[in-house]
Amino acid sequence: MRIHLYLAAVALAAALSAPAADADDAGKAAYERLCASCHGADGKGNSAMAEAFGGANLEIANQQVAGKKDEELKKIIADGKGRMPAAGKSLSPADQQAVVAYMRSLAQ
Ligand code: HEC
């Protein structure tokens, strides 16, 4: 009896912790697919792209970006900004949120 309760608790703990890991993975995968070409895998900016954009600062792994509200960052992702393409059609709202979380993790 006791061992069954223990196994049930372990299974529950695994089930509860799974979604967070999935969100991290989804954010990283979406960032690498849609953002890294310009902003760099590490968020420091792809220098060749920065040059192609006329010396634009493509670094997003910084406190200036991390200091923006979730809503603001999701709007930039969904609608684009200046010459940055919109990704709203490629990413679900949940994936946009996951990308925001991933960008914040790059700024740490
Ligand atoms: C084709 C290149 C390109 C891609 C792909 C791209 N961006 Fe950008 N991004 C830019 C440019 C250029 C700017 C500067 C826009 C401006 O201010 O004119 C920018 C700006 C930003 C900013 C605002 C920075 C600030 O200081 O205001 C954020 C945040 C950002 N991008 C995140 C993302 C994310 C997340 C993705 C992927 C979903 C992405 N970008 C994909 C080119 C790109």
Side-chain angles (χ1 to χ4, degrees):
M1 190 58 181
R2 195 162 270 232
I3 189 103
H4 284 149
L5 255 171
Y6 172 73
L7 288 176
V10 169
L12 184 65
L16 289 175
S17 63
D22 286 353
D24 284 356
D25 290 352
K28 184 174 197 282
Y31 179 87
E32 284 174 355
R33 184 163 57 91
L34 294 169
C35 320
S37 58
C38 288
H39 294 293
D42 57 1
K44 294 293 179 196
N46 174 336
S47 54
M49 282 310 258
E51 207 171 305
F53 278 109
N57 178 7
L58 294 178
E59 186 191 6
I60 50 137
N62 58 36
Q63 294 312 314
Q64 196 238 321
V65 171
K68 292 183 195 290
K69 292 190 172 68
D70 279 13
E71 295 312 316
E72 206 175 333
L73 292 172
K74 278 190 280 187
K75 188 172 163 36
I76 293 172
I77 294 171
D79 300 344
K81 184 181 175 187
R83 284 166 295 171
M84 173 175 153
K89 289 200 172 71
S90 318
L91 290 174
S92 68
D95 281 348
Q96 291 170 30
Q97 183 68 50
V99 170
V100 167
Y102 187 67
M103 275 197 292
R104 293 195 190 290
S105 77
L106 290 177
Q108 278 165 7

XYZ file of all heavy atoms in Angstrom:
809
model
N 0.830 -1.210 0.000
C 0.000 0.000 0.000
C 0.865 1.262 0.000
O 0.746 2.127 -0.845
C -0.901 -0.041 1.247
C -1.977 1.033 1.215
S -3.026 0.869 -0.262
C -4.117 2.231 -0.044
N 1.801 1.276 0.943
C 2.675 2.430 1.076
C 3.490 2.665 -0.206
O 3.644 3.794 -0.671
C 3.604 2.173 2.260
C 4.303 3.387 2.754
C 4.810 3.113 4.138
N 3.813 3.477 5.125
C 4.094 4.273 6.154
N 5.291 4.723 6.323
N 3.169 4.600 7.001
N 3.987 1.586 -0.788
C 4.803 1.713 -1.998
C 3.972 2.250 -3.166
O 4.444 3.041 -3.972
C 5.479 0.360 -2.346
C 6.514 0.537 -3.470
C 4.492 -0.705 -2.767
C 7.908 0.535 -2.952
N 2.691 1.877 -3.218
C 1.830 2.401 -4.283
C 1.657 3.896 -4.159
O 1.692 4.631 -5.142
C 0.460 1.701 -4.255
C 0.518 0.325 -4.824
N -0.287 -0.692 -4.392
C 1.294 -0.196 -5.786
C 0.005 -1.787 -5.064
N 0.959 -1.510 -5.908
N 1.483 4.340 -2.937
C 1.337 5.780 -2.711
C 2.600 6.504 -3.155
O 2.551 7.547 -3.806
C 1.131 6.035 -1.218
C -0.302 6.395 -0.835
C -0.431 6.398 0.660
C -0.672 7.744 -1.420
N 3.733 5.914 -2.831
C 5.019 6.511 -3.196
C 5.150 6.619 -4.724
O 5.480 7.659 -5.266
C 6.160 5.653 -2.618
C 7.510 6.083 -3.091
C 8.088 7.253 -2.610
C 8.202 5.343 -4.035
C 9.318 7.681 -3.064
C 9.431 5.759 -4.486
C 9.990 6.928 -4.008
O 11.203 7.343 -4.458
N 4.804 5.519 -5.408
C 4.899 5.530 -6.873
C 3.943 6.551 -7.474
O 4.287 7.252 -8.431
C 4.603 4.132 -7.434
C 5.705 3.101 -7.179
C 5.273 1.737 -7.694
C 7.013 3.533 -7.844
N 2.771 6.670 -6.907
C 1.797 7.643 -7.407
C 2.353 9.051 -7.236
O 2.227 9.901 -8.130
C 0.475 7.496 -6.664
N 3.005 9.307 -6.106
C 3.573 10.640 -5.858
C 4.695 10.939 -6.847
O 4.783 12.051 -7.377
C 4.099 10.716 -4.419
N 5.521 9.949 -7.131
C 6.618 10.150 -8.086
C 6.059 10.434 -9.478
O 6.503 11.355 -10.173
C 7.544 8.907 -8.119
C 8.510 8.999 -9.290
C 8.307 8.799 -6.803
N 5.030 9.672 -9.874
C 4.424 9.863 -11.192
C 3.810 11.254 -11.287
O 3.947 11.948 -12.298
C 3.362 8.796 -11.443
N 3.154 11.689 -10.212
C 2.524 13.002 -10.204
C 3.584 14.096 -10.316
O 3.435 15.044 -11.091
C 1.707 13.178 -8.916
C 0.907 14.466 -8.820
C -0.171 14.487 -9.910
C 0.265 14.597 -7.445
N 4.661 13.943 -9.569
C 5.725 14.946 -9.610
C 6.310 15.046 -11.018
O 6.552 16.143 -11.530
C 6.815 14.591 -8.599
N 6.492 13.904 -11.671
C 7.038 13.908 -13.028
C 6.065 14.589 -13.976
O 6.471 15.400 -14.823
C 7.310 12.473 -13.480
N 4.778 14.311 -13.819
C 3.771 14.909 -14.695
C 3.727 16.423 -14.504
O 3.581 17.181 -15.465
C 2.400 14.295 -14.414
N 3.868 16.877 -13.262
C 3.780 18.314 -12.994
C 5.008 19.062 -13.489
O 4.911 20.217 -13.869
C 3.614 18.563 -11.484
C 2.254 18.173 -10.920
C 2.244 18.357 -9.417
C 1.143 18.987 -11.561
N 6.168 18.410 -13.491
C 7.372 19.125 -13.885
C 7.570 19.114 -15.399
O 8.293 19.925 -15.934
C 8.597 18.536 -13.186
O 8.762 17.205 -13.594
N 6.883 18.224 -16.115
C 7.089 18.095 -17.555
C 6.747 19.369 -18.346
O 7.541 19.774 -19.183
C 6.310 16.911 -18.101
N 5.600 20.043 -18.093
C 5.243 21.185 -18.942
C 6.287 22.289 -18.950
O 6.549 22.880 -19.982
C 3.924 21.685 -18.334
C 3.373 20.493 -17.642
C 4.575 19.737 -17.127
N 6.931 22.555 -17.806
C 7.932 23.620 -17.760
C 9.093 23.298 -18.695
O 9.542 24.148 -19.453
C 8.436 23.796 -16.329
N 9.559 22.068 -18.668
C 10.657 21.677 -19.544
C 10.233 21.804 -21.000
O 10.992 22.266 -21.837
C 11.085 20.247 -19.225
N 8.985 21.422 -21.302
C 8.499 21.538 -22.674
C 8.501 22.990 -23.138
O 8.864 23.284 -24.267
C 7.073 20.977 -22.782
C 7.082 19.453 -22.723
O 8.173 18.879 -22.729
O 5.990 18.870 -22.676
N 8.075 23.911 -22.258
C 8.026 25.326 -22.634
C 9.431 25.840 -22.933
O 9.640 26.554 -23.911
C 7.377 26.144 -21.521
N 10.404 25.448 -22.096
C 11.791 25.863 -22.337
C 12.261 25.368 -23.699
O 12.840 26.104 -24.479
C 12.720 25.275 -21.270
C 12.587 26.016 -19.950
O 11.838 27.010 -19.907
O 13.228 25.591 -18.981
N 11.993 24.088 -23.968
C 12.425 23.494 -25.229
C 11.744 24.177 -26.403
O 12.373 24.453 -27.419
C 12.099 22.001 -25.248
C 12.978 21.227 -24.277
O 13.918 21.828 -23.729
O 12.719 20.039 -24.072
N 10.455 24.456 -26.267
C 9.709 25.097 -27.355
C 10.267 26.493 -27.620
O 10.423 26.898 -28.774
C 8.226 25.169 -27.003
N 10.591 27.209 -26.550
C 11.127 28.561 -26.712
C 12.482 28.543 -27.396
O 12.743 29.335 -28.301
N 13.331 27.619 -26.989
C 14.661 27.510 -27.587
C 14.555 27.105 -29.055
O 15.188 27.697 -29.928
C 15.470 26.470 -26.806
C 16.908 26.315 -27.250
C 17.626 25.357 -26.287
C 19.131 25.449 -26.393
N 19.682 24.755 -27.547
N 13.707 26.108 -29.342
C 13.561 25.618 -30.719
C 13.026 26.724 -31.625
O 13.532 26.927 -32.733
C 12.626 24.408 -30.744
N 12.017 27.448 -31.147
C 11.426 28.514 -31.968
C 12.430 29.645 -32.161
O 12.569 30.179 -33.264
C 10.155 29.048 -31.298
N 13.167 29.978 -31.103
C 14.178 31.045 -31.218
C 15.240 30.656 -32.248
O 15.603 31.457 -33.109
C 14.830 31.316 -29.853
C 15.886 32.390 -29.947
C 15.540 33.734 -29.819
C 17.217 32.072 -30.233
C 16.508 34.727 -29.974
C 18.178 33.049 -30.383
C 17.818 34.374 -30.244
O 18.767 35.363 -30.410
N 15.711 29.415 -32.156
C 16.774 28.994 -33.081
C 16.273 28.945 -34.519
O 17.005 29.245 -35.459
C 17.358 27.652 -32.622
C 18.276 27.884 -31.434
C 18.816 26.630 -30.777
O 18.408 25.521 -31.185
O 19.627 26.772 -29.848
N 15.001 28.621 -34.694
C 14.423 28.521 -36.041
C 14.171 29.912 -36.629
O 14.427 30.146 -37.802
C 13.120 27.724 -35.947
C 12.451 27.449 -37.278
C 11.417 26.327 -37.144
N 10.398 26.596 -36.139
C 9.239 27.211 -36.403
N 8.950 27.605 -37.603
N 8.362 27.414 -35.437
N 13.642 30.840 -35.817
C 13.116 32.093 -36.374
C 13.908 33.348 -36.018
O 13.681 34.396 -36.615
C 11.667 32.298 -35.899
C 10.649 31.281 -36.404
C 9.339 31.433 -35.641
C 10.407 31.460 -37.895
N 14.769 33.279 -35.040
C 15.396 34.503 -34.530
C 16.917 34.473 -34.606
O 17.544 35.518 -34.792
C 15.001 34.733 -33.066
S 13.275 34.356 -32.691
N 17.504 33.288 -34.439
C 18.959 33.204 -34.282
C 19.707 33.696 -35.515
O 20.824 34.212 -35.398
C 19.372 31.771 -33.943
N 19.107 33.574 -36.709
C 19.806 34.004 -37.928
C 20.184 35.475 -37.838
O 21.225 35.873 -38.348
C 18.948 33.732 -39.163
O 17.718 34.403 -39.046
N 19.368 36.280 -37.208
C 19.680 37.709 -37.069
C 20.255 38.046 -35.692
O 21.172 38.844 -35.574
C 18.424 38.554 -37.291
S 17.900 38.579 -39.023
N 19.674 37.469 -34.666
C 20.064 37.886 -33.305
C 21.138 36.988 -32.697
O 21.580 37.251 -31.580
C 18.822 37.941 -32.405
C 17.851 39.008 -32.823
N 18.145 40.349 -32.732
C 16.619 38.933 -33.374
C 17.111 41.054 -33.195
N 16.174 40.221 -33.599
N 21.548 35.920 -33.423
C 22.600 35.041 -32.921
C 22.050 34.003 -31.952
O 21.116 34.297 -31.212
N 22.628 32.805 -31.966
C 22.158 31.732 -31.082
C 22.264 32.151 -29.620
O 21.466 31.754 -28.793
C 22.959 30.455 -31.330
N 23.262 33.004 -29.311
C 23.452 33.445 -27.928
C 22.774 34.789 -27.653
O 22.898 35.341 -26.570
C 24.950 33.546 -27.615
C 25.690 34.484 -28.563
O 25.033 35.076 -29.462
O 26.912 34.631 -28.429
N 22.076 35.336 -28.657
C 21.382 36.612 -28.467
C 22.280 37.826 -28.573
O 21.830 38.956 -28.369
N 23.563 37.613 -28.923
C 24.493 38.746 -28.978
C 24.466 39.452 -30.336
O 25.160 40.438 -30.553
C 25.923 38.265 -28.684
C 26.112 37.752 -27.267
C 25.971 38.870 -26.254
C 26.144 38.366 -24.832
N 25.661 39.330 -23.836
N 23.672 38.921 -31.253
C 23.574 39.538 -32.579
C 24.518 38.889 -33.566
O 25.661 38.612 -33.239
N 24.006 38.621 -34.766
C 24.816 38.065 -35.856
C 25.466 39.258 -36.564
O 24.776 40.090 -37.156
C 23.893 37.267 -36.782
C 24.604 36.767 -38.024
O 25.613 37.314 -38.456
N 24.059 35.729 -38.607
N 26.808 39.335 -36.496
C 27.473 40.553 -36.979
C 27.300 40.743 -38.483
O 27.175 41.875 -38.953
C 28.950 40.545 -36.583
O 29.567 39.365 -37.025
N 27.268 39.636 -39.263
C 27.073 39.769 -40.713
C 25.690 40.358 -41.000
O 25.534 41.226 -41.871
C 27.229 38.414 -41.391
N 24.680 39.907 -40.254
C 23.334 40.444 -40.439
C 23.265 41.899 -39.980
O 22.626 42.728 -40.624
C 22.309 39.610 -39.654
C 21.941 38.327 -40.308
S 21.472 38.547 -42.040
C 19.715 38.465 -41.931
N 23.941 42.200 -38.885
C 23.937 43.578 -38.382
C 24.496 44.515 -39.456
O 23.969 45.605 -39.685
C 24.765 43.668 -37.097
N 25.553 44.050 -40.143
C 26.158 44.837 -41.212
C 25.172 44.985 -42.375
O 25.013 46.070 -42.929
C 27.433 44.134 -41.678
C 28.467 45.062 -42.268
C 29.771 44.321 -42.493
O 30.288 43.732 -41.512
O 30.236 44.318 -43.634
N 24.514 43.873 -42.722
C 23.530 43.906 -43.810
C 22.395 44.875 -43.488
O 21.806 45.472 -44.381
C 22.982 42.499 -44.052
N 22.106 45.038 -42.220
C 21.057 45.975 -41.803
C 21.627 47.374 -41.560
O 21.013 48.175 -40.860
C 20.343 45.477 -40.549
C 19.273 44.450 -40.819
C 19.444 43.130 -40.461
C 18.080 44.815 -41.443
C 18.464 42.184 -40.718
C 17.096 43.875 -41.707
C 17.284 42.551 -41.342
N 22.820 47.625 -42.111
C 23.387 48.969 -42.014
C 23.873 49.317 -40.618
O 23.708 50.449 -40.154
N 24.481 48.321 -39.952
C 25.045 48.591 -38.630
C 24.017 48.596 -37.508
O 24.235 49.191 -36.457
N 22.874 47.909 -37.726
C 21.854 47.820 -36.673
C 22.405 47.041 -35.481
O 23.241 46.155 -35.653
C 20.606 47.124 -37.211
N 21.951 47.382 -34.306
C 22.332 46.621 -33.119
C 21.343 45.472 -32.957
O 20.185 45.696 -32.632
C 22.303 47.538 -31.886
C 22.640 46.787 -30.616
O 23.025 45.613 -30.665
N 22.489 47.433 -29.479
N 21.799 44.263 -33.208
C 20.891 43.109 -33.159
C 21.031 42.326 -31.856
O 20.489 41.233 -31.732
C 21.144 42.192 -34.366
C 20.800 42.811 -35.730
C 21.139 41.849 -36.860
C 19.337 43.208 -35.801
N 21.745 42.877 -30.903
C 21.876 42.174 -29.618
C 20.553 42.254 -28.851
O 19.983 43.341 -28.690
C 22.986 42.805 -28.778
C 23.232 42.023 -27.515
C 24.134 42.747 -26.514
O 24.477 43.905 -26.753
O 24.462 42.152 -25.504
N 20.068 41.107 -28.421
C 18.841 41.111 -27.615
C 19.083 40.516 -26.222
O 18.207 40.560 -25.374
C 17.693 40.341 -28.312
C 18.154 38.967 -28.779
C 17.124 41.126 -29.467
C 17.184 37.892 -28.502
N 20.289 39.945 -26.023
C 20.598 39.382 -24.710
C 21.177 40.490 -23.830
O 22.371 40.522 -23.549
C 21.588 38.230 -24.853
N 20.324 41.435 -23.476
C 20.792 42.518 -22.605
C 19.651 43.005 -21.709
O 18.492 42.621 -21.895
C 21.378 43.666 -23.444
C 20.363 44.219 -24.444
O 19.171 44.296 -24.152
N 20.841 44.595 -25.613
N 20.002 43.835 -20.751
C 19.000 44.272 -19.769
C 17.972 45.219 -20.380
O 16.855 45.329 -19.908
C 19.695 44.936 -18.565
C 20.543 43.968 -17.761
C 19.802 42.676 -17.428
O 18.655 42.697 -17.001
N 20.446 41.538 -17.653
N 18.386 45.909 -21.458
C 17.444 46.815 -22.111
C 16.252 46.035 -22.666
O 15.107 46.464 -22.534
C 18.167 47.561 -23.237
C 17.429 48.793 -23.734
C 17.126 48.703 -25.212
O 17.931 48.231 -25.996
N 15.945 49.132 -25.581
N 16.526 44.868 -23.266
C 15.449 44.027 -23.795
C 14.773 43.267 -22.651
O 13.547 43.208 -22.568
C 15.995 43.054 -24.862
C 14.940 42.031 -25.245
C 16.433 43.835 -26.099
N 15.574 42.724 -21.732
C 15.003 41.957 -20.617
C 14.100 42.839 -19.754
O 13.173 42.354 -19.114
C 16.111 41.342 -19.770
N 14.358 44.160 -19.779
C 13.556 45.078 -18.967
C 12.187 45.381 -19.554
O 11.348 45.984 -18.887
N 11.970 44.971 -20.798
C 10.666 45.229 -21.414
C 9.631 44.255 -20.871
O 9.951 43.136 -20.494
C 10.753 45.072 -22.946
C 11.595 46.135 -23.632
C 11.541 45.916 -25.140
C 12.618 46.687 -25.885
N 12.430 48.131 -25.896
N 8.375 44.685 -20.886
C 7.294 43.818 -20.408
C 7.033 42.686 -21.398
O 7.268 42.829 -22.601
C 6.002 44.638 -20.261
C 6.038 45.671 -19.164
C 4.615 46.223 -18.963
C 4.556 47.122 -17.749
N 5.313 48.376 -17.960
N 6.498 41.562 -20.888
C 6.143 40.431 -21.744
C 5.298 40.883 -22.930
O 5.539 40.481 -24.066
C 5.346 39.387 -20.944
C 6.253 38.483 -20.115
O 7.439 38.815 -19.973
O 5.762 37.463 -19.615
N 4.294 41.717 -22.652
C 3.352 42.133 -23.708
C 4.089 42.858 -24.824
O 3.792 42.685 -25.999
C 2.264 43.040 -23.117
C 1.359 42.350 -22.113
C 0.846 40.997 -22.622
O 0.436 40.922 -23.793
O 0.887 40.012 -21.851
N 5.046 43.710 -24.418
C 5.809 44.493 -25.386
C 6.655 43.568 -26.271
O 6.702 43.724 -27.498
C 6.706 45.438 -24.587
C 7.109 46.702 -25.292
C 7.903 47.599 -24.346
O 7.701 47.516 -23.112
O 8.737 48.352 -24.852
N 7.311 42.598 -25.645
C 8.164 41.676 -26.396
C 7.332 40.777 -27.312
O 7.710 40.505 -28.444
C 9.014 40.838 -25.432
C 10.078 41.631 -24.679
C 10.747 40.772 -23.610
C 11.141 42.174 -25.631
N 6.167 40.350 -26.821
C 5.308 39.501 -27.658
C 4.795 40.278 -28.863
O 4.644 39.727 -29.946
C 4.141 38.933 -26.833
C 4.556 37.705 -26.044
C 3.375 36.994 -25.427
C 2.944 37.695 -24.154
N 1.908 36.947 -23.418
N 4.550 41.569 -28.678
C 4.083 42.394 -29.794
C 5.190 42.521 -30.855
O 4.911 42.435 -32.054
C 3.669 43.780 -29.286
C 2.987 44.619 -30.357
C 2.414 45.888 -29.759
C 2.093 46.956 -30.807
N 1.593 46.473 -32.076
N 6.437 42.713 -30.405
C 7.564 42.802 -31.349
C 7.688 41.487 -32.125
O 7.859 41.473 -33.341
C 8.885 43.119 -30.597
C 8.824 44.529 -30.002
C 10.082 42.984 -31.539
C 9.992 44.873 -29.077
N 7.566 40.355 -31.402
C 7.667 39.052 -32.058
C 6.519 38.867 -33.059
O 6.732 38.474 -34.200
C 7.643 37.906 -31.014
C 8.901 37.962 -30.146
C 7.523 36.545 -31.703
C 8.876 37.023 -28.944
N 5.321 39.167 -32.633
C 4.145 38.899 -33.471
C 4.070 39.837 -34.673
O 3.748 39.402 -35.782
C 2.878 39.013 -32.632
N 4.369 41.127 -34.457
C 4.158 42.131 -35.512
C 5.438 42.531 -36.225
O 5.388 43.218 -37.240
C 3.534 43.406 -34.904
C 2.195 43.128 -34.245
O 1.615 42.057 -34.511
O 1.727 43.971 -33.460
N 6.605 42.163 -35.654
C 7.869 42.637 -36.204
C 8.116 44.064 -35.737
O 7.287 44.660 -35.033
N 9.274 44.586 -36.102
C 9.599 45.953 -35.706
C 10.605 46.492 -36.717
O 11.627 45.850 -36.971
C 10.202 45.957 -34.306
C 10.481 47.344 -33.775
C 11.099 47.311 -32.384
C 11.471 48.717 -31.957
N 12.212 48.754 -30.708
N 10.356 47.657 -37.294
C 11.252 48.180 -38.317
C 11.452 47.150 -39.410
O 10.474 46.678 -39.999
N 12.688 46.741 -39.615
C 12.961 45.750 -40.674
C 12.910 44.313 -40.165
O 13.244 43.385 -40.886
C 14.301 46.059 -41.337
C 14.197 47.239 -42.299
C 15.556 47.746 -42.672
N 16.228 48.293 -41.497
C 17.508 48.672 -41.468
N 18.244 48.550 -42.541
N 18.028 49.174 -40.368
N 12.523 44.133 -38.919
C 12.386 42.760 -38.409
C 11.050 42.169 -38.862
O 10.015 42.797 -38.689
C 12.451 42.779 -36.882
C 12.138 41.432 -36.273
S 12.363 41.494 -34.495
C 11.220 40.208 -34.005
N 11.090 40.961 -39.443
C 9.841 40.360 -39.936
C 8.915 39.922 -38.802
O 9.376 39.541 -37.727
C 10.332 39.149 -40.739
C 11.660 38.810 -40.160
C 12.266 40.098 -39.690
N 7.619 39.978 -39.054
C 6.629 39.507 -38.083
C 6.654 37.983 -38.018
O 6.823 37.318 -39.034
C 5.245 39.984 -38.489
N 6.511 37.426 -36.809
C 6.490 35.965 -36.658
C 5.148 35.497 -36.087
O 4.996 34.339 -35.716
C 7.638 35.506 -35.765
N 4.187 36.406 -36.040
C 2.890 36.082 -35.431
C 2.176 34.924 -36.113
O 1.428 34.193 -35.466
N 2.404 34.765 -37.424
C 1.720 33.671 -38.134
C 2.445 32.343 -37.936
O 1.857 31.289 -38.131
C 1.634 34.000 -39.631
C 0.648 35.108 -39.934
C 0.232 35.062 -41.406
C -0.896 36.019 -41.703
N -0.432 37.442 -41.666
N 3.726 32.398 -37.571
C 4.505 31.163 -37.422
C 4.473 30.618 -36.004
O 4.825 29.464 -35.789
C 5.975 31.417 -37.785
O 6.079 32.225 -38.910
N 4.096 31.459 -35.040
C 4.181 31.051 -33.637
C 2.845 31.231 -32.931
O 2.248 32.309 -33.010
C 5.230 31.904 -32.908
C 6.692 31.680 -33.264
C 7.562 32.703 -32.558
C 7.128 30.273 -32.897
N 2.413 30.205 -32.221
C 1.207 30.313 -31.397
C 1.501 31.277 -30.254
O 2.668 31.522 -29.923
C 0.853 28.941 -30.831
O 1.840 28.557 -29.893
N 0.442 31.843 -29.631
C 0.675 32.710 -28.462
C 1.517 32.024 -27.391
O 2.382 32.655 -26.781
C -0.746 33.003 -27.959
C -1.597 32.903 -29.188
C -0.979 31.795 -30.016
N 1.309 30.720 -27.184
C 2.092 29.995 -26.171
C 3.566 29.940 -26.578
O 4.452 30.100 -25.736
C 1.537 28.586 -25.985
N 3.826 29.733 -27.864
C 5.209 29.693 -28.330
C 5.848 31.084 -28.264
O 7.045 31.204 -27.986
C 5.284 29.139 -29.758
C 5.167 27.620 -29.790
O 5.255 26.998 -28.714
O 4.991 27.070 -30.883
N 5.065 32.133 -28.529
C 5.602 33.498 -28.405
C 6.021 33.760 -26.960
O 7.082 34.321 -26.696
C 4.548 34.531 -28.831
C 4.267 34.502 -30.326
C 3.074 35.349 -30.708
O 2.765 36.337 -30.067
N 2.380 34.950 -31.764
N 5.184 33.297 -26.021
C 5.512 33.451 -24.605
C 6.784 32.665 -24.279
O 7.650 33.142 -23.530
C 4.336 32.950 -23.751
C 4.530 33.135 -22.257
C 4.519 34.607 -21.854
O 3.627 35.349 -22.229
N 5.516 35.038 -21.105
N 6.906 31.475 -24.851
C 8.086 30.637 -24.597
C 9.345 31.308 -25.152
O 10.411 31.240 -24.538
C 7.888 29.247 -25.215
N 9.229 31.972 -26.317
C 10.381 32.678 -26.882
C 10.770 33.855 -25.985
O 11.961 34.106 -25.761
C 10.091 33.170 -28.329
C 11.189 34.100 -28.816
C 9.960 31.982 -29.268
N 9.779 34.561 -25.443
C 10.067 35.658 -24.517
C 10.866 35.132 -23.324
O 11.891 35.701 -22.940
C 8.755 36.339 -24.030
C 9.019 37.247 -22.834
C 8.124 37.128 -25.178
N 10.415 34.010 -22.761
C 11.111 33.425 -21.608
C 12.537 33.027 -21.998
O 13.487 33.232 -21.231
C 10.340 32.213 -21.085
N 12.686 32.481 -23.213
C 14.017 32.062 -23.644
C 14.936 33.268 -23.834
O 16.106 33.238 -23.442
C 13.930 31.228 -24.935
C 15.266 30.646 -25.315
C 15.852 29.674 -24.524
C 15.959 31.107 -26.425
C 17.094 29.155 -24.836
C 17.206 30.594 -26.747
C 17.765 29.621 -25.947
O 19.004 29.114 -26.241
N 14.391 34.369 -24.413
C 15.204 35.590 -24.565
C 15.664 36.094 -23.198
O 16.800 36.513 -23.032
C 14.380 36.704 -25.230
C 14.363 36.641 -26.741
S 13.829 38.216 -27.444
C 12.117 38.285 -26.950
N 14.756 36.065 -22.218
C 15.134 36.508 -20.864
C 16.258 35.639 -20.306
O 17.161 36.142 -19.640
C 13.927 36.460 -19.927
C 12.835 37.463 -20.271
C 11.866 37.616 -19.107
N 10.690 38.376 -19.463
C 10.690 39.688 -19.715
N 11.813 40.359 -19.650
N 9.578 40.321 -20.042
N 16.200 34.341 -20.589
C 17.245 33.451 -20.053
C 18.593 33.758 -20.717
O 19.640 33.630 -20.086
C 16.845 31.978 -20.240
O 17.032 31.564 -21.584
N 18.566 34.205 -21.989
C 19.816 34.550 -22.660
C 20.449 35.822 -22.064
O 21.653 36.009 -22.136
C 19.572 34.791 -24.168
C 19.237 33.574 -25.022
C 18.958 34.001 -26.459
C 20.359 32.551 -24.994
N 19.621 36.681 -21.509
C 20.118 37.962 -20.978
C 20.746 37.793 -19.598
O 21.327 38.733 -19.069
C 18.969 38.970 -20.914
N 20.627 36.608 -18.995
C 21.148 36.431 -17.633
C 22.628 36.085 -17.621
O 23.116 35.491 -18.548
C 20.373 35.328 -16.915
C 19.077 35.907 -16.363
C 18.093 34.839 -15.949
O 18.411 33.648 -15.945
N 16.897 35.251 -15.599
C 15.677 39.159 -40.577
C 16.321 39.499 -39.311
C 15.544 39.351 -38.022
C 14.894 38.234 -37.533
C 14.745 36.874 -38.225
C 14.393 38.582 -36.227
N 14.731 39.882 -35.930
Fe 14.388 40.818 -34.160
N 15.115 42.542 -34.948
C 15.667 42.683 -36.210
C 15.973 44.091 -36.447
C 16.593 44.658 -37.706
C 15.593 44.780 -35.274
C 15.679 46.280 -35.018
C 14.323 46.840 -35.351
C 14.287 48.338 -35.348
O 14.295 48.918 -34.238
O 14.275 48.903 -36.440
C 15.064 43.786 -34.354
C 14.609 44.056 -33.083
C 14.218 43.104 -32.136
C 13.862 43.378 -30.772
C 13.799 44.761 -30.137
C 15.102 45.183 -29.568
C 14.960 46.545 -28.921
O 15.920 46.947 -28.299
O 13.891 47.169 -29.044
C 13.557 42.198 -30.187
C 13.145 41.968 -28.743
C 13.692 41.178 -31.196
N 14.102 41.766 -32.375
C 13.442 39.845 -31.009
C 13.332 38.916 -32.053
C 12.810 37.577 -31.897
C 12.342 36.964 -30.594
C 12.843 37.002 -33.135
C 12.327 35.641 -33.534
C 10.914 35.390 -33.314
C 13.421 37.958 -34.055
N 13.691 39.114 -33.365
C 13.683 37.725 -35.406
C 15.907 41.674 -37.102
C 15.421 40.391 -36.995
